[in-house]
Amino acid sequence: MPEILRPRVLVIGGGPGGYVAAIRAGQLGLDTVLVDAERPGGTCVLRGCIPSKALIHAAGKFADIAGAAGDNPLGFAIPGPPRLDFARTVAWKDGIVDRLSAGVTGLLARAKVRVVTGWARFTDAKSCTVETAAGPVAITAEHVILATGSEAVALSDLPFGGKVISSSEALSLPELPRRLVVVGAGYIGLELGIALRKLGAAVTIVEAAQRILPRYDDALTRPVRRWLQRAGVTLHLGAKIGGLDGEERLMVETASGPLPLEADKILVTVGRRPLTNGWGLEAMGLDMEGPFVRIDDQCKTAMRGVWAIGDLAGEPMLAHKGFAQGAMVAEIIAGQRRHFDPAAVAAIVFTEPEIVVAGMLPDDAAAAGIAAATAVFPFAANGRALTLEAGGDGGFVRIVSRRDDQRILGIQAVGRQVAELAGEFAHALAMGTVLDDLAHTVHVHPTLGEAAGEAALLGLGHALHL
Ligand code: FAD
Ligand code: FAD
């Protein structure tokens, strides 16, 4: 006989969406069970946001030290190039992952959430069976929150296996590949490709579109392209991927003809798709929207009492969107009136340099038929950027605002260490800020954030430091 559980709330998936939904439900006194096949944390903690940012940090530090080995303007002298113990770097990264996963486990316990470890399969919208190490557990709940997340998209000509790897394997390589080919210059491929280049791999990037990060405009991505060039990364744009030839070389169709690429590892990062297979979604009677489960502005699906959040429920597939939706759904189940209608879900690309995007790009405003003005303040004119050796990378803060009432529609930045500006940008948009508000916020000196205030002043026609 399987063990039978009848909680008020059942959460499937312990990633950012699911674990936050479960913690909040527990905090609100709802009897809650969370199911995940793995330890808590999901893609984000176990093989996404956190391990990638750890590797990126380590790679940046290594590159800085390596850069100090030769002649350098800061006047450092070190005896020679640093040596890399890559296994130790990966172990350090694993330590952070372990700590955060354990932290999530602790938070779930404190909120009195019962965690069931195993794969869930639904037989109808409210009932599933989980195969656990101790035998099957049958769970029926009043409310089901689906947060199954997403998986890497594979190319049919280049399936994962052998030297062809996804981001998950790239984050736990046993050794640094000597030659790495990255297929797909989206944010994941660029972040990991750049990190591995900094650690010493020879990197080639192959992208089908005519631009890296094709969702973003040329101006915003140009500093990253310049870095790739300076760092000796080979970039093939507008290139079509074939399969591996008999000698395990990657066949690429470029503008100048077919090109075989030698590689020790081929990292395929051509996008992610929601995980909708293998757990009985078809038995639940939900509506779909493209590859995603269709939801309304409260994350309700077509089935009463079944909710979907995070990567399963649409773009943008980002952790903080899952956090926000998870907490909201728990609060709605507990009786609160909530809607998911953020002014913007900001995004960061942790490349070299970093890119932050909040709200509308200039092209988005044009496409929406809004008469908008764009003001760009360069980091070359920002004191803090210069002290961080960041003034020369072509970075800037850009504000897109309505011409009629000067309301800010979008703020973007590209430059070294700009990631932390995302909070100010998101907050400005959430508050419905106009140029005047941002221009007259007294920004601390010397900080990169001053460039946001200056960009707003520039929008008003009178920047002070330009
Ligand atoms: P997930 O985190 O994917 O979690 C889903 C969980 O559900 C998994 O643990 C899975 O095992 C479990 N599960 C699924 N089905 C079942 C089932 N039937 N039974 C039991 N368990 C099940 N986002 C950012 O915001 N910032 C970043 O810097 C960032 N970097 C990233 C870097 C990489 C390399 C990758 C791959 C992703 C990155 N992301 C980043 C995206 C981020 O990881 C996802 O948006 C986020 O994890 C989605 O959360 P989720 O809760 O929807 O699902
Ligand atoms: P993507 O970012 O989708 O990039 C994949 C790249 O691979 C693309 O450049 C594509 O042209 C290329 N490619 C595809 N097939 C091939 C091939 N056969 N050969 C060569 N190249 C190929 N979602 C939205 O809906 N709107 C947004 O504006 C948006 N912005 C985002 C911004 C950021 C900073 C982040 C982190 C995510 C954003 N997302 C957005 C969500 C994003 O689509 C998903 O998280 C996920 O698909 C990104 O994973 P990826 O880097 O592997 O793929």
Side-chain angles (χ1 to χ4, degrees):
M1 269 294 281
E3 185 184 359
I4 297 172
L5 300 177
R6 296 185 187 282
R8 179 97 191 276
V9 179
L10 166 63
V11 182
I12 306 295
Y19 84 70
V20 165
I23 289 171
R24 190 71 189 116
Q27 286 174 344
L28 291 163
L30 304 169
D31 173 27
T32 303
V33 169
L34 178 130
V35 178
D36 200 310
E38 299 172 84
R39 57 187 172 149
T43 304
C44 182
V45 171
L46 304 180
R47 52 182 170 273
C49 330
I50 296 300
S52 63
K53 266 80 255 180
L55 199 68
I56 287 165
H57 170 74
K61 219 163 168 174
F62 184 79
D64 282 348
I65 297 169
D71 180 41
N72 70 80
L74 274 67
F76 301 155
I78 59 171
R83 275 197 312 276
L84 177 69
D85 181 347
F86 186 64
R88 201 156 167 200
T89 309
V90 172
W92 169 77
K93 178 268 300 176
D94 288 342
I96 296 170
V97 170
D98 292 348
R99 191 164 152 188
L100 282 175
S101 177
V104 173
T105 303
L107 292 171
L108 288 164
R110 189 147 26 110
K112 301 200 166 43
V113 174
R114 170 152 179 195
V115 176
V116 175
T117 304
W119 188 256
R121 274 176 215 285
F122 281 81
T123 43
D124 65 54
K126 301 288 181 68
S127 311
C128 71
T129 303
V130 184
E131 292 302 331
T132 74
V137 178
I139 311 175
T140 299
E142 188 183 330
H143 291 277
V144 173
I145 304 176
L146 299 172
T148 58
S150 62
E151 60 187 351
V153 170
L155 292 172
S156 53
D157 288 341
L158 201 62
F160 292 123
K163 64 161 74 169
V164 182
I165 59 171
S166 75
S167 55
S168 303
E169 291 77 42
L171 288 165
S172 289
L173 287 167
E175 59 189 25
L176 186 73
R178 211 161 49 78
R179 296 159 309 178
L180 174 77
V181 172
V182 178
V183 179
Y187 85 98
I188 294 174
L190 282 175
E191 286 185 5
L192 297 178
I194 287 173
L196 292 172
R197 173 70 202 122
K198 285 182 175 179
L199 289 171
V203 176
T204 301
I205 300 179
V206 181
E207 164 60 49
Q210 295 298 337
R211 270 215 307 271
I212 60 166
L213 295 166
R215 289 174 203 272
Y216 297 156
D217 52 83
D218 187 55
L220 203 54
T221 55
R222 199 175 304 135
V224 178
R225 226 176 42 232
R226 274 178 41 185
W227 187 90
L228 293 175
Q229 202 172 17
R230 277 207 310 275
V233 173
T234 309
L235 186 60
H236 296 289
L237 297 171
K240 245 186 95 202
I241 292 296
L244 295 179
D245 70 3
E247 288 160 52
E248 294 255 291
R249 293 177 308 181
L250 176 63
M251 297 309 294
V252 181
E253 193 64 47
T254 69
S256 43
L259 180 73
L261 290 177
E262 307 262 3
D264 302 306
K265 294 285 177 203
I266 300 169
L267 168 60
V268 176
T269 49
V270 294
R272 295 184 59 81
R273 70 160 160 251
L275 188 66
T276 49
N277 285 326
W279 48 270
L281 171 67
E282 53 290 345
M284 300 181 82
L286 310 184
D287 287 348
M288 302 299 288
E289 188 162 330
F292 300 103
V293 170
R294 183 194 292 267
I295 53 167
D296 68 6
D297 64 353
Q298 293 188 307
C299 295
K300 286 183 175 144
T301 67
M303 179 64 70
R304 203 183 166 82
V306 177
W307 314 72
I309 59 176
D311 285 6
L312 176 68
E315 298 277 9
M317 290 196 268
L318 295 172
H320 40 292
K321 186 205 68 172
F323 288 146
Q325 290 179 328
M328 178 196 73
V329 168
E331 288 170 5
I332 294 172
I333 293 172
Q336 299 182 20
R337 288 166 66 91
R338 295 284 316 277
H339 291 271
F340 187 69
D341 185 22
V345 176
I348 301 172
V349 188
F350 291 85
T351 39
E352 182 65 59
E354 294 167 343
I355 298 177
V356 178
V357 172
M360 285 186 169
L361 300 163
D363 293 348
D364 297 334
I370 302 171
T374 297
V376 178
F377 187 85
F379 282 118
N382 172 274
R384 181 61 179 150
L386 298 187
T387 66
L388 293 168
E389 302 173 85
D393 62 10
F396 55 82
V397 172
R398 181 173 72 186
I399 301 186
V400 182
S401 59
R402 293 184 72 99
R403 281 194 189 278
D404 53 4
D405 59 4
Q406 300 181 333
R407 189 164 299 276
I408 295 177
L409 299 167
I411 316 181
Q412 296 92 43
V414 53
R416 199 164 202 206
Q417 298 191 15
V418 297
E420 294 298 329
L421 297 181
E424 177 175 12
F425 296 177
H427 189 234
L429 291 167
M431 294 286 111
T433 302
V434 294
L435 288 176
D436 224 35
D437 299 322
L438 200 53
H440 296 127
T441 298
V442 179
H443 284 89
V444 178
H445 179 73
T447 60
L448 298 177
E450 286 174 284
E454 288 278 2
L457 278 173
L458 193 63
L460 294 169
H462 51 91
L464 287 169
H465 290 88
L466 196 65

